[in-house]
């Protein structure tokens, strides 16, 4: 059985490959120059970027305001696949999900990787535990978007 739930504007899709295994949910994220679309309420800011330095300049001017207006992703503990797509960014991207702050960075799980060339989608698997996280792309510098995992 497939179910679809909305977490704000982010699609969560359970994957049931083995009925006895714990449910794995999919969070789909789309990267465009200097931002994740879903994290910024599906608002494509229309930024253009040919390199990391372009996004660094853009984020210096707009990052704080955009982050304040962004959606905090709230999830339950469990197994997740973050399915990340590079939509029209002309250089290789990545994804990094980690604990927010030094203590959470040390105690919470993290996942990261690169290899997201233009048009490519890649999966990043993680078992999320309760706590506060951030996610971003260091190669397509984005703000550190918030993710909170809570029981119940």
């Amino acid at each position: 059985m497939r179910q679809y739930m909305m977490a704000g504007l982010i699609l969560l899709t359970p994957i049931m490959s083995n009925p006895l295994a714990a449910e794995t949910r999919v969070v789909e994220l789309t990267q465009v120059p200097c931002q994740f679309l879903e994290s910024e309420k599906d608002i494509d800011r229309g930024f253009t970027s040919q390199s990391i330095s372009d996004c660094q300049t853009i984020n210096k001017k707009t990052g704080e305001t955009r982050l304040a207006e962004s959606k905090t992703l709230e999830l339950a503990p469990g197994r997740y696949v973050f399915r990340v797509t590079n939509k029209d960014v002309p250089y290789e991207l990545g994804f990094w999900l980690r604990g927010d702050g030094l203590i959470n960075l040390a105690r919470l799980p993290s996942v990261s990787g690169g290899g997201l060339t233009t048009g490519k989608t890649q999966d990043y698997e993680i078992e999320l535990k309760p706590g506060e996280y951030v996610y971003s792309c260091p190669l397509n510098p984005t703000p550190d978007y918030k993710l909170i995992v809570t029981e119940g």
Side-chain angles (χ1 to χ4, degrees):
M1 176 171 99
R2 277 200 160 214
Q3 299 175 336
Y4 295 93
M5 303 174 290
M6 292 301 288
L9 298 175
I10 300 174
L11 180 67
L12 295 175
T13 309
I15 297 176
M16 299 297 288
S17 57
N18 177 350
L20 301 176
E23 183 178 286
T24 300
R25 291 159 279 194
V26 176
V27 177
E28 296 186 24
L29 297 170
T30 308
Q31 287 194 61
V32 295
C34 316
Q35 70 174 110
F36 283 91
L37 284 177
E38 295 83 357
S39 308
E40 296 195 31
K41 301 176 184 174
D42 282 327
I43 299 169
D44 186 338
R45 311 279 181 178
F47 299 134
T48 56
S49 177
Q50 297 301 314
S51 68
I52 291 172
S53 63
D54 291 337
C55 287
Q56 290 169 332
T57 300
I58 289 166
N59 289 332
K60 191 176 284 187
K61 294 177 186 175
T62 67
E64 191 173 312
T65 301
R66 290 173 26 230
L67 190 57
E69 296 171 353
S70 70
K71 174 160 182 23
T72 297
L73 182 57
E74 297 179 8
L75 301 173
R79 292 177 33 201
Y80 288 86
V81 169
F82 284 80
R83 184 162 291 148
V84 183
T85 300
N86 175 346
K87 180 181 177 188
D88 301 328
V89 181
Y91 46 89
E92 182 178 325
L93 307 181
F95 178 71
W96 186 23
L97 170 64
R98 70 256 182 220
D100 187 11
L102 287 177
I103 292 172
N104 285 330
L105 183 60
R107 73 174 192 85
L108 293 173
S110 71
V111 64
S112 64
L116 274 170
T117 55
T118 305
K120 185 175 179 184
T121 298
Q122 192 161 310
D123 288 351
Y124 301 88
E125 297 182 32
I126 188 169
E127 177 91 23
L128 292 175
K129 298 178 181 178
E132 295 183 14
Y133 298 78
V134 291
Y135 61 96
S136 62
C137 176
L139 304 174
N140 175 40
T142 65
D144 287 338
Y145 301 105
K146 299 281 186 182
L147 185 154
I148 297 174
V149 177
T150 56
E151 297 280 353

Short mmCIF file of all heavy atoms in Angstrom, two decimals, residues 95-140:
data_model
loop_
_atom_site.label_atom_id
_atom_site.label_comp_id
_atom_site.label_asym_id
_atom_site.label_seq_id
_atom_site.Cartn_x
_atom_site.Cartn_y
_atom_site.Cartn_z
N PHE A 95 24.67 17.43 -0.87
CA PHE A 95 23.66 17.55 0.17
C PHE A 95 24.32 17.21 1.49
O PHE A 95 25.13 16.28 1.56
CB PHE A 95 22.50 16.58 -0.11
CG PHE A 95 21.42 16.60 0.93
CD1 PHE A 95 20.56 17.68 1.04
CD2 PHE A 95 21.24 15.52 1.79
CE1 PHE A 95 19.54 17.69 1.99
CE2 PHE A 95 20.24 15.53 2.74
CZ PHE A 95 19.39 16.62 2.84
N TRP A 96 24.00 17.98 2.56
CA TRP A 96 24.55 17.71 3.88
C TRP A 96 23.48 17.96 4.92
O TRP A 96 23.02 19.09 5.10
CB TRP A 96 25.77 18.57 4.14
CG TRP A 96 26.50 18.26 5.42
CD1 TRP A 96 26.49 17.09 6.12
CD2 TRP A 96 27.38 19.14 6.13
NE1 TRP A 96 27.29 17.19 7.24
CE2 TRP A 96 27.85 18.44 7.26
CE3 TRP A 96 27.80 20.45 5.92
CZ2 TRP A 96 28.72 19.00 8.17
CZ3 TRP A 96 28.66 21.01 6.83
CH2 TRP A 96 29.13 20.30 7.94
N LEU A 97 23.08 16.89 5.62
CA LEU A 97 22.12 16.94 6.72
C LEU A 97 22.89 16.57 7.98
O LEU A 97 23.54 15.52 8.03
CB LEU A 97 20.97 15.96 6.47
CG LEU A 97 20.00 15.70 7.61
CD1 LEU A 97 19.24 16.96 7.98
CD2 LEU A 97 19.04 14.59 7.23
N ARG A 98 22.81 17.43 9.01
CA ARG A 98 23.58 17.20 10.24
C ARG A 98 22.90 17.88 11.41
O ARG A 98 22.01 18.71 11.23
CB ARG A 98 25.00 17.72 10.09
CG ARG A 98 25.12 19.25 10.06
CD ARG A 98 25.37 19.75 8.69
NE ARG A 98 25.55 21.19 8.58
CZ ARG A 98 25.05 21.88 7.58
NH1 ARG A 98 24.33 21.29 6.65
NH2 ARG A 98 25.26 23.17 7.49
N GLY A 99 23.37 17.53 12.62
CA GLY A 99 22.85 18.17 13.82
C GLY A 99 23.15 19.66 13.82
O GLY A 99 24.18 20.10 13.31
N ASP A 100 22.22 20.44 14.38
CA ASP A 100 22.35 21.90 14.44
C ASP A 100 23.16 22.28 15.68
O ASP A 100 22.74 22.03 16.80
CB ASP A 100 20.96 22.54 14.49
CG ASP A 100 21.02 24.06 14.39
OD1 ASP A 100 22.09 24.61 14.08
OD2 ASP A 100 19.97 24.70 14.62
N GLY A 101 24.32 22.89 15.47
CA GLY A 101 25.19 23.28 16.58
C GLY A 101 26.17 22.18 16.94
O GLY A 101 26.02 21.03 16.53
N LEU A 102 27.19 22.52 17.71
CA LEU A 102 28.27 21.57 18.01
C LEU A 102 27.79 20.34 18.76
O LEU A 102 28.20 19.22 18.43
CB LEU A 102 29.37 22.27 18.81
CG LEU A 102 30.23 23.25 18.01
CD1 LEU A 102 31.23 23.94 18.92
CD2 LEU A 102 30.95 22.54 16.88
N ILE A 103 26.94 20.52 19.75
CA ILE A 103 26.48 19.36 20.54
C ILE A 103 25.66 18.42 19.67
O ILE A 103 25.89 17.21 19.66
CB ILE A 103 25.70 19.82 21.79
CG1 ILE A 103 26.65 20.52 22.75
CG2 ILE A 103 25.01 18.64 22.46
CD1 ILE A 103 25.99 21.18 23.94
N ASN A 104 24.71 18.96 18.91
CA ASN A 104 23.88 18.12 18.04
C ASN A 104 24.69 17.53 16.90
O ASN A 104 24.43 16.41 16.47
CB ASN A 104 22.69 18.90 17.50
CG ASN A 104 21.62 19.10 18.55
OD1 ASN A 104 21.45 18.28 19.45
ND2 ASN A 104 20.89 20.19 18.46
N LEU A 105 25.68 18.25 16.41
CA LEU A 105 26.55 17.72 15.35
C LEU A 105 27.28 16.48 15.84
O LEU A 105 27.44 15.50 15.11
CB LEU A 105 27.55 18.79 14.90
CG LEU A 105 28.48 18.43 13.76
CD1 LEU A 105 27.70 18.09 12.49
CD2 LEU A 105 29.45 19.57 13.49
N ALA A 106 27.66 16.48 17.12
CA ALA A 106 28.39 15.34 17.69
C ALA A 106 27.47 14.18 18.04
O ALA A 106 27.87 13.02 17.94
CB ALA A 106 29.14 15.80 18.95
N ARG A 107 26.21 14.44 18.43
CA ARG A 107 25.35 13.37 18.95
C ARG A 107 24.32 12.83 17.96
O ARG A 107 23.79 11.74 18.15
CB ARG A 107 24.68 13.79 20.24
CG ARG A 107 23.58 14.79 20.09
CD ARG A 107 22.85 15.06 21.42
NE ARG A 107 21.64 15.81 21.21
CZ ARG A 107 20.46 15.31 20.88
NH1 ARG A 107 20.32 14.02 20.74
NH2 ARG A 107 19.41 16.08 20.67
N LEU A 108 24.01 13.59 16.92
CA LEU A 108 22.97 13.17 15.97
C LEU A 108 23.59 12.61 14.70
O LEU A 108 24.70 12.99 14.31
CB LEU A 108 22.06 14.36 15.63
CG LEU A 108 21.20 14.89 16.77
CD1 LEU A 108 20.47 16.16 16.35
CD2 LEU A 108 20.22 13.83 17.25
N PRO A 109 22.86 11.73 14.01
CA PRO A 109 23.38 11.18 12.75
C PRO A 109 23.45 12.26 11.67
O PRO A 109 22.77 13.28 11.75
CB PRO A 109 22.36 10.11 12.38
CG PRO A 109 21.11 10.49 13.09
CD PRO A 109 21.53 11.21 14.33
N SER A 110 24.29 12.01 10.68
CA SER A 110 24.38 12.93 9.54
C SER A 110 24.56 12.12 8.26
O SER A 110 24.92 10.95 8.29
CB SER A 110 25.53 13.92 9.71
OG SER A 110 26.78 13.28 9.56
N VAL A 111 24.27 12.78 7.15
CA VAL A 111 24.47 12.16 5.84
C VAL A 111 24.92 13.27 4.90
O VAL A 111 24.49 14.41 5.01
CB VAL A 111 23.19 11.45 5.33
CG1 VAL A 111 22.05 12.43 5.10
CG2 VAL A 111 23.48 10.64 4.08
N SER A 112 25.83 12.92 3.99
CA SER A 112 26.30 13.92 3.02
C SER A 112 26.83 13.21 1.79
O SER A 112 27.12 12.03 1.81
CB SER A 112 27.39 14.81 3.63
OG SER A 112 28.53 14.04 3.95
N GLY A 113 26.95 13.98 0.73
CA GLY A 113 27.52 13.46 -0.50
C GLY A 113 27.42 14.47 -1.61
O GLY A 113 26.72 15.48 -1.49
N GLY A 114 28.13 14.20 -2.67
CA GLY A 114 28.13 15.08 -3.84
C GLY A 114 27.70 14.30 -5.07
O GLY A 114 26.95 13.33 -4.98
N GLY A 115 28.18 14.74 -6.21
CA GLY A 115 27.90 14.03 -7.45
C GLY A 115 26.62 14.40 -8.15
O GLY A 115 26.22 13.73 -9.11
N LEU A 116 25.94 15.45 -7.67
CA LEU A 116 24.67 15.85 -8.28
C LEU A 116 24.93 16.80 -9.44
O LEU A 116 24.96 18.01 -9.27
CB LEU A 116 23.78 16.55 -7.25
CG LEU A 116 22.91 15.68 -6.39
CD1 LEU A 116 22.27 16.50 -5.28
CD2 LEU A 116 21.84 15.02 -7.21
N THR A 117 25.11 16.25 -10.63
CA THR A 117 25.28 17.08 -11.81
C THR A 117 23.92 17.54 -12.33
O THR A 117 22.88 17.06 -11.88
CB THR A 117 26.05 16.30 -12.90
OG1 THR A 117 25.35 15.08 -13.16
CG2 THR A 117 27.48 16.00 -12.47
N THR A 118 23.91 18.48 -13.23
CA THR A 118 22.67 19.07 -13.74
C THR A 118 21.69 17.99 -14.19
O THR A 118 22.03 17.11 -14.97
CB THR A 118 22.97 20.03 -14.91
OG1 THR A 118 23.92 20.98 -14.47
CG2 THR A 118 21.72 20.74 -15.38
N GLY A 119 20.46 18.07 -13.66
CA GLY A 119 19.40 17.13 -14.03
C GLY A 119 19.41 15.83 -13.26
O GLY A 119 18.48 15.03 -13.38
N LYS A 120 20.42 15.58 -12.45
CA LYS A 120 20.54 14.31 -11.74
C LYS A 120 19.79 14.35 -10.41
O LYS A 120 19.71 15.38 -9.75
CB LYS A 120 22.01 13.99 -11.47
CG LYS A 120 22.24 12.64 -10.84
CD LYS A 120 23.71 12.31 -10.71
CE LYS A 120 23.88 10.95 -10.04
NZ LYS A 120 25.28 10.64 -9.81
N THR A 121 19.24 13.19 -10.01
CA THR A 121 18.61 13.00 -8.71
C THR A 121 19.38 11.93 -7.97
O THR A 121 19.79 10.92 -8.55
CB THR A 121 17.14 12.57 -8.88
OG1 THR A 121 16.43 13.61 -9.56
CG2 THR A 121 16.47 12.30 -7.53
N GLN A 122 19.60 12.16 -6.68
CA GLN A 122 20.36 11.21 -5.87
C GLN A 122 19.69 11.04 -4.52
O GLN A 122 19.11 11.98 -3.98
CB GLN A 122 21.79 11.73 -5.69
CG GLN A 122 22.75 10.73 -5.12
CD GLN A 122 24.18 11.15 -5.39
OE1 GLN A 122 24.54 11.46 -6.52
NE2 GLN A 122 24.99 11.16 -4.36
N ASP A 123 19.77 9.83 -3.96
CA ASP A 123 19.19 9.50 -2.66
C ASP A 123 20.25 9.51 -1.57
O ASP A 123 21.36 9.01 -1.77
CB ASP A 123 18.54 8.12 -2.69
CG ASP A 123 17.26 8.08 -3.50
OD1 ASP A 123 16.76 9.14 -3.91
OD2 ASP A 123 16.76 6.97 -3.71
N TYR A 124 19.86 10.06 -0.40
CA TYR A 124 20.72 10.09 0.78
C TYR A 124 19.90 9.48 1.91
O TYR A 124 18.89 10.03 2.32
CB TYR A 124 21.11 11.53 1.13
CG TYR A 124 21.85 12.21 0.01
CD1 TYR A 124 21.16 12.90 -1.00
CD2 TYR A 124 23.23 12.17 -0.06
CE1 TYR A 124 21.83 13.51 -2.03
CE2 TYR A 124 23.92 12.79 -1.11
CZ TYR A 124 23.21 13.45 -2.09
OH TYR A 124 23.88 14.06 -3.12
N GLU A 125 20.35 8.32 2.43
CA GLU A 125 19.59 7.58 3.45
C GLU A 125 20.11 7.90 4.84
O GLU A 125 21.31 8.04 5.05
CB GLU A 125 19.72 6.08 3.19
CG GLU A 125 19.11 5.66 1.87
CD GLU A 125 19.19 4.17 1.63
OE1 GLU A 125 19.13 3.40 2.61
OE2 GLU A 125 19.32 3.77 0.46
N ILE A 126 19.15 7.98 5.79
CA ILE A 126 19.52 8.29 7.17
C ILE A 126 18.43 7.80 8.12
O ILE A 126 17.26 7.77 7.76
CB ILE A 126 19.76 9.81 7.35
CG1 ILE A 126 20.35 10.12 8.73
CG2 ILE A 126 18.49 10.60 7.08
CD1 ILE A 126 20.86 11.55 8.88
N GLU A 127 18.82 7.42 9.31
CA GLU A 127 17.90 7.09 10.40
C GLU A 127 17.90 8.30 11.33
O GLU A 127 18.88 8.56 12.03
CB GLU A 127 18.38 5.85 11.16
CG GLU A 127 17.54 5.48 12.35
CD GLU A 127 16.41 4.52 12.02
OE1 GLU A 127 16.50 3.80 11.01
OE2 GLU A 127 15.44 4.51 12.78
N LEU A 128 16.80 9.07 11.31
CA LEU A 128 16.72 10.29 12.10
C LEU A 128 16.28 9.99 13.52
O LEU A 128 15.35 9.23 13.75
CB LEU A 128 15.74 11.28 11.47
CG LEU A 128 16.16 11.89 10.13
CD1 LEU A 128 15.04 12.76 9.57
CD2 LEU A 128 17.45 12.69 10.29
N LYS A 129 16.99 10.62 14.47
CA LYS A 129 16.66 10.53 15.89
C LYS A 129 16.11 11.89 16.33
O LYS A 129 16.37 12.90 15.67
CB LYS A 129 17.90 10.19 16.69
CG LYS A 129 18.48 8.84 16.32
CD LYS A 129 19.74 8.56 17.10
CE LYS A 129 20.30 7.20 16.68
NZ LYS A 129 21.54 6.89 17.38
N PRO A 130 15.37 11.94 17.43
CA PRO A 130 14.85 13.23 17.89
C PRO A 130 15.97 14.25 18.09
O PRO A 130 17.04 13.93 18.61
CB PRO A 130 14.17 12.90 19.21
CG PRO A 130 13.77 11.46 19.06
CD PRO A 130 14.90 10.83 18.27
N GLY A 131 15.70 15.48 17.65
CA GLY A 131 16.68 16.56 17.80
C GLY A 131 16.51 17.61 16.73
O GLY A 131 15.61 17.54 15.89
N GLU A 132 17.41 18.59 16.77
CA GLU A 132 17.39 19.69 15.82
C GLU A 132 18.52 19.53 14.83
O GLU A 132 19.67 19.33 15.21
CB GLU A 132 17.50 21.03 16.55
CG GLU A 132 16.30 21.30 17.44
CD GLU A 132 16.36 22.65 18.12
OE1 GLU A 132 17.19 23.50 17.73
OE2 GLU A 132 15.57 22.85 19.06
N TYR A 133 18.17 19.61 13.55
CA TYR A 133 19.10 19.43 12.45
C TYR A 133 19.08 20.66 11.54
O TYR A 133 18.16 21.47 11.60
CB TYR A 133 18.69 18.23 11.58
CG TYR A 133 18.68 16.89 12.26
CD1 TYR A 133 17.64 16.50 13.10
CD2 TYR A 133 19.70 15.97 12.02
CE1 TYR A 133 17.62 15.25 13.69
CE2 TYR A 133 19.68 14.71 12.60
CZ TYR A 133 18.64 14.35 13.44
OH TYR A 133 18.62 13.11 14.01
N VAL A 134 20.08 20.73 10.66
CA VAL A 134 20.07 21.67 9.54
C VAL A 134 20.50 20.89 8.31
O VAL A 134 21.17 19.86 8.40
CB VAL A 134 21.00 22.89 9.75
CG1 VAL A 134 20.48 23.80 10.84
CG2 VAL A 134 22.43 22.48 10.02
N TYR A 135 20.07 21.38 7.14
CA TYR A 135 20.51 20.78 5.88
C TYR A 135 20.81 21.90 4.90
O TYR A 135 20.23 22.98 4.96
CB TYR A 135 19.50 19.78 5.32
CG TYR A 135 18.14 20.36 5.00
CD1 TYR A 135 17.82 20.76 3.70
CD2 TYR A 135 17.16 20.49 5.98
CE1 TYR A 135 16.57 21.28 3.40
CE2 TYR A 135 15.91 21.01 5.69
CZ TYR A 135 15.63 21.40 4.40
OH TYR A 135 14.40 21.92 4.09
N SER A 136 21.75 21.61 4.01
CA SER A 136 22.19 22.61 3.05
C SER A 136 22.99 21.92 1.95
O SER A 136 23.17 20.70 1.96
CB SER A 136 23.08 23.66 3.74
OG SER A 136 24.25 23.04 4.26
N CYS A 137 23.47 22.73 1.04
CA CYS A 137 24.41 22.27 0.02
C CYS A 137 25.65 23.15 0.10
O CYS A 137 25.58 24.33 -0.22
CB CYS A 137 23.81 22.34 -1.38
SG CYS A 137 25.03 21.88 -2.65
N PRO A 138 26.78 22.59 0.50
CA PRO A 138 28.00 23.39 0.56
C PRO A 138 28.55 23.75 -0.82
O PRO A 138 29.30 24.73 -0.95
CB PRO A 138 28.99 22.48 1.30
CG PRO A 138 28.20 21.36 1.86
CD PRO A 138 26.94 21.26 1.07
N LEU A 139 28.19 23.00 -1.86
CA LEU A 139 28.72 23.24 -3.21
C LEU A 139 27.88 24.24 -4.01
O LEU A 139 28.36 24.82 -4.98
CB LEU A 139 28.81 21.92 -3.98
CG LEU A 139 29.63 20.82 -3.30
CD1 LEU A 139 29.53 19.52 -4.09
CD2 LEU A 139 31.07 21.25 -3.13
N ASN A 140 26.63 24.39 -3.61
CA ASN A 140 25.69 25.37 -4.18
C ASN A 140 25.23 26.14 -2.96
O ASN A 140 24.12 25.97 -2.50
CB ASN A 140 24.52 24.64 -4.84
CG ASN A 140 23.43 25.57 -5.36
OD1 ASN A 140 23.70 26.62 -5.91
ND2 ASN A 140 22.18 25.15 -5.19
#
